[in-house]
Amino acid sequence: MENNLFCGDALFSAGCGRVFTVDYKAQYETLQKFKRLDDAITVYPGHEYTETNLRFAYDMHPENEKISKSLEEVQELRAKGQPTLPTTIGREKEINLFLQVETLEDFIELRNARDAL
Ligand SMILES: [Fe+2]
């Protein structure tokens, strides 16, 4: 809608929804579609899962400074009871591992690793 994306559970900040339907291909393709949107699009996910998602991303890639810096910022906001949302497509492209995978196989592997927590 205009410059806003209301994505429900398809995309979270630094994460994405679980694939209850087991249709990983549909979820992967949806994320690829989001990735092609303009960086300036404001994203309104359905849940405030940013901190948990960033902790997972940090565990996977502790060397990634954008992720570690975002985790610190998000922890500060949450400690003050403030939301981390909305986000933007540009920000998500930097911190969301699910938008960074380049193949369906990598997406499934990452989703399974996240689900195992
Ligand atoms: Fe939900």
Side-chain angles (χ1 to χ4, degrees), residues 27-43:
Q27 172 70 336
Y28 174 72
E29 284 170 359
T30 298
L31 293 174
Q32 292 301 304
K33 191 189 288 181
F34 291 163
K35 207 167 145 177
R36 291 191 293 269
L37 295 173
D38 193 283
D39 283 356
I41 298 273
T42 305
V43 180

Side-chain angles (χ1 to χ4, degrees), residues 8-9 12 46-47 49:
D9 292 358
F12 298 135
H47 296 275
Y49 294 156

Side-chain angles (χ1 to χ4, degrees), residues 66-107:
K66 281 175 180 157
I67 288 172
S68 56
K69 188 167 170 282
S70 293
L71 177 58
E72 279 175 32
E73 289 165 0
V74 159
Q75 283 173 330
E76 274 177 40
L77 285 170
R78 297 307 293 149
K80 288 186 272 185
Q82 291 175 10
T84 66
L85 302 171
T87 179
T88 63
I89 291 293
R91 174 175 163 81
E92 291 312 307
K93 277 157 62 175
E94 290 187 335
I95 65 168
N96 194 320
L97 300 181
F98 292 93
L99 287 184
Q100 291 170 3
V101 292
E102 289 181 355
T103 66
L104 174 60
E105 291 67 32
D106 287 350
F107 171 70

